[in-house]
Amino acid sequence: MARPTKFRRVEFFPEDNYFVPWGKPRCEIEEMILKVEELEAMRLKDIEELNQEECAEKMQVSRQTFQNIIDSARKKVAMALTEGKAIRISGGYYTTNHCKFKCMDCGETYEINYEQDKFTCPNCGSQRVMCNKKVGFCGRWCNGENLT
């Protein structure tokens, strides 16, 4: 059985998550889905100007995984820009300091490290876990963490 995909650490969430080429109706445009962790990879490398090792460390992934993430992100953005496609920032495999999960049985509060941590407490194995809703943040982004 394959090892579960580890969530990537993300620190930035954009105010705007949908971009459409000027002058084209939204209903007629094909979309490119840019995952939240792909945006974070581009932000760290291209805006923060960190080296690959620093980026990988901040996202808590290997350097090879970071390279795969940023390659995918740059390809999607380049295709959207050259082919006149919309960009939607949504989904992915990520976690953040802004959201923690709590087990309703043992009371453990924890950060998700693997996909199954969203459904099963890593401390006691209970499936009665839920996201702590901190300062209204989780309502927008935790629900957007679809695993696609």
Side-chain angles (χ1 to χ4, degrees):
M1 186 164 111
R3 188 175 146 213
T5 301
K6 188 173 182 182
F7 281 77
R8 290 78 191 254
R9 172 76 60 199
V10 173
E11 296 175 358
F12 172 78
F13 297 90
E15 287 294 317
D16 301 309
N17 64 352
Y18 198 81
F19 301 89
V20 181
W22 181 259
K24 290 189 175 185
R26 185 173 169 179
C27 61
E28 296 176 8
I29 297 178
E30 207 177 314
E31 287 182 353
M32 294 296 294
I33 305 295
L34 187 67
K35 294 177 183 176
V36 174
E37 69 265 21
E38 291 172 333
L39 176 64
E40 178 73 351
M42 289 194 316
R43 183 187 74 83
L44 292 173
K45 184 70 176 147
D46 301 330
I47 297 172
E48 299 291 326
E49 298 181 348
L50 301 177
N51 66 40
Q52 183 179 359
E53 188 172 353
E54 293 168 326
C55 294
E57 188 176 306
K58 277 195 165 273
M59 291 184 71
Q60 297 180 353
V61 297
S62 69
R63 286 180 292 180
Q64 181 60 52
T65 298
F66 173 79
Q67 190 63 50
N68 294 342
I69 293 168
I70 198 162
D71 287 347
S72 173
R74 288 175 173 166
K75 181 176 182 176
K76 289 176 181 180
V77 171
M79 287 176 65
L81 293 174
T82 58
E83 298 173 10
K85 296 180 180 181
I87 299 173
R88 176 186 301 276
I89 302 167
S90 176
Y93 291 94
Y94 65 90
T95 187
T96 177
N97 289 340
H98 302 287
C99 182
K100 295 186 181 202
F101 276 65
K102 182 173 184 170
C103 176
M104 303 313 291
D105 288 334
C106 73
E108 178 79 13
T109 300
Y110 61 93
E111 292 180 7
I112 51 176
N113 291 313
Y114 295 97
E115 177 182 349
Q116 66 264 22
D117 293 348
K118 290 180 75 172
F119 310 105
T120 306
C121 174
N123 186 48
C124 72
S126 169
Q127 293 186 343
R128 291 187 30 176
V129 296
M130 63 186 298
C131 178
N132 278 342
K133 298 196 186 266
K134 292 188 172 184
V135 295
F137 186 85
C138 288
R140 179 165 181 207
W141 286 101
C142 286
N143 295 335
E145 290 180 11
N146 59 27
L147 305 175
T148 56

